[in-house]
Amino acid sequence: MNLLENFLNNSKTAFHACENAAEYLKANGFTELKESEKFKVEKGGKYYVTRNGSAVIAF
């Protein structure tokens, strides 16, 4: 099974998709930022933010 198929099979809802995406990002060197805190980012860094457990933004 490829990565996309695995992700889709394990993401039955937006909440599951968000959690699975965040786990993937974290495992691949991304740092989670909290909306409630001032962002501390560095040039060339990899970051992501989640909102309400149903959305993820990576940059």
Side-chain angles (χ1 to χ4, degrees), residues 27-51:
N28 284 280
F30 283 73
T31 300
E32 181 176 12
L33 301 174
K34 302 290 185 185
E35 277 191 295
S36 59
E37 299 172 7
K38 185 174 180 171
F39 290 177
K40 295 177 183 173
V41 298
E42 297 178 9
K43 185 176 182 177
K46 301 188 302 186
Y47 306 96
Y48 71 95
V49 179
T50 61
R51 179 176 274 185

Side-chain angles (χ1 to χ4, degrees), residues 1 4-5 8-9 12 17 22-23 25-27 31 33-34 46 49 55-56 58:
M1 188 176 318
L4 178 59
E5 287 175 314
L8 294 174
N9 286 333
K12 304 298 183 194
E23 287 177 15
L25 292 168
K26 190 173 187 177
T31 300
L33 301 174
K34 302 290 185 185
K46 301 188 302 186
V49 179
V56 63

Side-chain angles (χ1 to χ4, degrees), residues 3-26 48-58:
L3 183 62
L4 178 59
E5 287 175 314
N6 189 43
F7 178 80
L8 294 174
N9 286 333
N10 291 310
S11 300
K12 304 298 183 194
T13 68
F15 299 100
H16 291 101
C18 182
E19 181 179 357
N20 292 332
E23 287 177 15
Y24 177 83
L25 292 168
K26 190 173 187 177
Y48 71 95
V49 179
T50 61
R51 179 176 274 185
N52 299 327
S54 62
V56 63
I57 301 165

